[in-house]
């Protein structure tokens, strides 16, 4: 895997919607949003916002592809050949996709390249899941056979965030279309560059028109039109908890099922029985990976008192040595934050921390080494207690909040004292401690002595306000398919004949 950008790729002047396999032309009279490179603050392109009429055209296209098109009715081998072709085309264009995403998001190229590999794998994996789907048959009722089939649910609205667009938007699509569904994808208005190319590549790989349609625009305009559209049968959403709540309320009024992957404030528990060297590496990558903009960040680092001072000292020393810079360079560890308003929000938590009595340990300001771009120094604070806002609110940047505990029971109680429950991390060499933490922590994933490993076979999603539903073979199958029972008499049935007597 090449981690260096060996060439630059073209950028469209205007990012438009892609409906029924066709990129729409740029037109006047629409709302345009500049797409900005967070590394140098230059305008890269413009997004042309899809209004309700354009969203309607996308839903009509997806509806037609579902109700009349070949996709849901296609032989599974034929459908899977297209999904495998998508995998191969994504690999073939990995450098281009990574380049566009790195340019638009500021995520280090090295991590985005891994995302592209993973997204290609996701299409392969869920194609195989769909091909092993099976039904049930019941013959216990004398004279009857009842069989149960799984059918695609219909047209999905897939909505994705900006923090890892390729990885997260493709996951929404890869869990949906292999079961025979069609969809309309709305990525974040901040990071649409790689998304347009991704959907084009799906079509270059042989995806029939209408199966995946792309609409671009802000949440309250384009996103809201999609969620409210009567032709959409279900919503798959990845994003913030507040947005998820609003979407679930709208979908609930229309009785549309929702799958929500939301925010987190995950505890990273480091016990005095830990292999401290590995825990230190894990704590740093847990909060600074993906520029700190990760739902599964280990953003509350809980240290057992006996190791706390030495651990913090080493964490701070390493934080100060992290290479901040051009995300295209393979040596860069942290790039700029994705957009200016977000950077200001992350930095605002320095004052929030201080007013709650926290101590700033390192960072807390824009990187003085950069006169352009939304770079901030890796930041860490020591919080006085878990009720501090920096321990309860998702900051979504390279911003660690430390807490100190005495007993493992106390650590678990702190971990659970959160409205979120996405993931958690535990570092200990003591088996019983690891097992007790894994049992008692209320989160969708518990990582013991490791950070951020994802197994596609296992469900992924959150407890509490971190989400509803899971991504995974069984969970995605259940969300994206309907069950149908068909009952057939084997012999002619004699029932009551109304009005015949
Ligand atoms: P966001 O909620 O602001 O936006 C997400 C998407 O929703 C965007 O496409 C946005 O335009 C759209 N949207 C906003 N309002 C809408 C509305 N009223 N109707 C329909 N769509 C609307 O989130 P973000 O800032 O883009 O992403 C960061 C958040 O996403 C963080 O909270 C993070 O934890 C979460 N996230 C969760 C996971 C997970 O798997 N659990 C993964 C990545 C990110």
């Amino acid at each position: 895997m090449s981690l260096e950008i060996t060439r630059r790729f073209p950028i469209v002047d205007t990012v438009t919607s892609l409906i029924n396999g066709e990129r729409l032309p740029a037109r006047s009279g629409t709302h345009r949003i500049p797409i900005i490179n967070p590394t140098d603050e230059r305008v890269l392109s413009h997004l042309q916002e899809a209004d309700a009429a354009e969203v309607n055209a996308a839903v009509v296209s997806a509806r037609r592809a579902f109700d009349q098109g070949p996709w849901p009715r296609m032989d599974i081998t034929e459908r899977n050949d297209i999904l495998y072709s998508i995998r191969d085309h994504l690999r073939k264009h990995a450098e281009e996709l990574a380049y566009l995403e790195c340019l638009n998001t500021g995520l280090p190229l090295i991590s985005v390249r891994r995302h592209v590999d993973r997204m290609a794998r996701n299409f392969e994996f869920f194609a195989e899941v769909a091909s092993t789907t099976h039904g049930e048959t019941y013959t216990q009722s004398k004279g009857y056979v009842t069989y149960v089939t799984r059918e695609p649910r219909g047209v999905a609205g897939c909505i994705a965030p900006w923090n890892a667009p390729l990885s997260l938007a493709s996951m929404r699509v890869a869990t949906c279309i292999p079961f025979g569904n069609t969809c309309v994808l709305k990525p974040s208005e901040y990071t649409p560059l790689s998304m347009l190319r991704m959907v084009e590549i799906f079509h270059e790989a042989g995806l029939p028109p209408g199966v995946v349609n792309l609409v671009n625009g802000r949440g309250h305009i384009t996103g809201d039109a999609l969620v409210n559209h009567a032709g959409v049968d279900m919503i798959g959403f990845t994003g913030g908890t507040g947005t998820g709540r609003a979407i679930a309320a709208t979908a609930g009024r229309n009785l549309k099922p929702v799958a929500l992957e939301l925010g987190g404030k995950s505890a990273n528990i480091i016990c005095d029985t830990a292999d401290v060297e590995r825990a230190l590496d894990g704590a740093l990558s847990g909060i600074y990976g993906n520029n700190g903009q990760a739902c599964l960040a280990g953003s509350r680092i809980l240290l057992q008192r006996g190791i706390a001072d030495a651990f913090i000292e080493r964490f701070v020393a390493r934080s100060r040595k992290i290479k901040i810079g051009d995300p295209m360079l393979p040596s860069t560890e942290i790039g700029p934050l994705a957009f200016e308003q977000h950077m200001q929000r992350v930095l605002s938590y320095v004052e929030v921390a201080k007013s709650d009595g926290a101590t700033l340990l390192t960072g807390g300001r824009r990187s003085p080494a950069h006169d352009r771009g939304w770079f901030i120094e890796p930041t860490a604070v020591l919080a006085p207690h878990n009720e501090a806002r920096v321990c309860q609110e998702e900051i979504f940047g390279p911003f660690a909040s430390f807490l100190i505990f005495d007993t493992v029971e106390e650590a678990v109680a702190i971990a659970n004292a959160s409205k979120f429950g996405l993931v958690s991390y535990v570092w200990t060499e003591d088996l019983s401690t690891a097992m007790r933490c894994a049992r008692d922590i209320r989160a969708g994933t518990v990582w013991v002595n490791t950070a951020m490993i994802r197994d596609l076979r296992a469900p992924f999603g959150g407890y509490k306000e971190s989400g509803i539903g899971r991504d995974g073979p069984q969970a995605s199958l259940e969300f994206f398919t309907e069950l149908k029972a068909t009952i057939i008499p084997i012999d002619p049935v004699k029932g009551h004949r109304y009005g015949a007597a």
Side-chain angles (χ1 to χ4, degrees):
M1 170 170 105
S2 159
L3 292 176
E4 299 211 40
I5 282 295
T6 52
R7 67 189 182 96
R8 308 207 159 243
F9 296 88
I11 299 167
V12 293
D13 287 335
T14 307
V15 177
T16 58
S17 299
L18 194 155
I19 296 174
N20 206 34
E22 300 285 338
R23 221 167 84 191
L24 299 195
R27 58 190 166 91
S28 56
T30 54
H31 183 74
R32 283 166 70 81
I33 302 170
I35 303 167
I36 297 175
N37 181 345
T39 304
D40 61 12
E41 301 177 34
R42 281 178 220 275
V43 175
L44 291 163
S45 177
H46 281 85
L47 176 148
Q48 174 173 295
E49 182 163 79
D51 58 11
E54 204 162 296
V55 171
N56 179 54
V59 176
V60 166
S61 163
R63 212 44 287 154
R64 197 183 315 117
F66 184 76
D67 294 332
Q68 297 150 35
W71 189 249
R73 287 160 276 277
M74 208 175 254
D75 185 86
I76 191 72
T77 52
E78 201 185 333
R79 194 157 75 207
N80 279 4
D81 280 346
I82 295 172
L83 295 165
Y84 296 143
S85 169
I86 288 178
R87 171 199 63 196
D88 298 341
H89 276 68
L90 290 172
R91 286 182 180 150
K92 191 168 123 203
H93 295 282
E95 203 178 342
E96 180 181 8
L97 288 168
Y99 171 79
L100 293 173
E101 180 126 318
C102 178
L103 204 61
N104 194 177
T105 61
L107 295 178
L109 185 73
I110 191 164
S111 31
V112 183
R113 270 299 275 108
R114 279 193 224 109
H115 295 176
V116 181
D117 288 340
R118 208 177 319 140
M119 66 196 273
R121 188 70 71 194
N122 290 345
F123 280 93
E124 174 188 85
F125 180 82
F126 283 98
E128 282 163 13
V129 170
S131 73
T132 57
T133 303
H134 53 82
E136 304 153 29
T137 311
Y138 299 98
T139 54
Q140 291 92 332
S141 291
K142 196 168 173 338
Y144 286 90
V145 62
T146 298
Y147 62 88
V148 180
T149 43
R150 279 203 177 266
E151 299 187 347
R153 199 185 276 275
V155 173
C158 298
I159 301 178
W162 50 262
N163 63 306
L166 283 170
S167 164
L168 298 168
S170 71
M171 192 62 168
R172 295 264 64 87
V173 176
T175 51
C176 165
I177 63 169
F179 298 109
N181 301 294
T182 64
C183 71
V184 177
L185 170 66
K186 196 212 81 69
S188 168
E189 59 275 28
Y190 292 104
T191 53
L193 275 190
S194 56
M195 298 286 90
L196 176 60
R197 190 65 195 112
M198 174 186 84
V199 177
E200 278 180 341
I201 290 170
F202 293 164
H203 291 90
E204 288 165 17
L207 190 71
V211 177
V212 178
N213 303 273
L214 174 75
V215 290
N216 282 299
R218 290 165 294 174
H220 67 286
I221 304 290
T222 314
D224 190 57
L226 182 59
V227 176
N228 268 301
H229 199 294
V232 172
D233 298 303
M234 65 272 189
I235 304 289
F237 172 77
T238 306
T241 291
T243 314
R245 201 188 300 279
I247 286 176
T250 306
R253 273 195 299 279
N254 297 310
L255 293 180
K256 277 178 203 170
V258 288
L260 305 174
E261 298 283 355
L262 307 177
K265 188 74 194 182
S266 299
N268 191 349
I269 300 175
I270 303 171
C271 302
D272 56 11
T273 46
D275 174 336
V276 173
E277 215 50 50
R278 283 170 63 200
L280 181 62
D281 288 342
L284 287 156
S285 62
I287 186 60
Y288 296 141
N290 220 51
N291 297 348
Q293 301 164 151
C295 56
L296 34 71
S299 50
R300 276 187 301 156
I301 305 178
L302 279 50
L303 298 172
Q304 201 152 11
R305 195 171 300 278
I307 57 163
D309 289 348
F311 192 96
I312 287 176
E313 197 178 311
R314 295 184 65 199
F315 184 97
V316 166
R318 290 269 295 274
S319 298
R320 290 186 178 147
K321 282 167 52 186
I322 286 175
K323 295 180 194 72
I324 311 170
D326 180 352
M328 293 282 174
L329 297 176
S331 55
T332 293
E333 294 176 291
I334 292 192
L337 297 193
F339 52 98
E340 185 178 13
Q341 195 190 346
H342 180 58
M343 177 193 70
Q344 300 297 3
R345 183 181 170 277
V346 172
L347 286 174
S348 74
Y349 274 95
V350 176
E351 285 313 311
V352 169
K354 287 182 186 161
S355 63
D356 270 353
T359 310
L360 180 65
L361 300 167
T362 189
R365 56 178 185 166
R366 288 182 81 159
S367 161
H370 297 87
D371 52 8
R372 293 181 81 90
W374 300 314
F375 296 92
I376 74 166
E377 290 182 337
T379 299
V381 300
L382 177 61
H385 46 69
N386 189 45
E387 287 73 44
R389 281 179 60 194
V390 287
C391 295
Q392 291 297 323
E393 296 175 17
E394 187 182 41
I395 300 173
F396 217 56
F399 193 120
S401 302
F402 281 97
L403 285 164
I404 294 174
F405 67 91
D406 288 300
T407 65
V408 171
E409 287 67 29
E410 188 190 346
V412 170
I414 294 171
N416 289 341
S418 167
K419 65 181 180 180
F420 298 112
L422 190 57
V423 303
S424 61
Y425 307 71
V426 180
W427 300 84
T428 175
E429 295 297 297
D430 180 65
L431 181 63
S432 164
T433 301
M435 298 295 283
R436 279 187 290 135
C437 288
R439 180 192 61 196
D440 295 338
I441 290 173
R442 292 180 51 73
T445 298
V446 181
W447 282 305
V448 179
N449 296 332
T450 187
M452 299 201 182
I453 296 299
R454 179 102 180 246
D455 187 331
L456 274 181
R457 285 159 286 260
F460 180 84
Y463 280 37
K464 300 190 264 182
E465 294 191 17
S466 287
I468 295 178
R470 298 287 183 271
D471 283 334
Q474 190 58 30
S476 298
L477 169 73
E478 281 167 16
F479 182 72
F480 283 112
T481 59
E482 291 274 18
L483 284 171
K484 178 185 278 176
T486 303
I487 302 152
I488 304 179
I490 297 169
D491 303 311
V493 181
K494 278 211 164 78
H496 178 75
R497 300 179 63 219
Y498 283 94

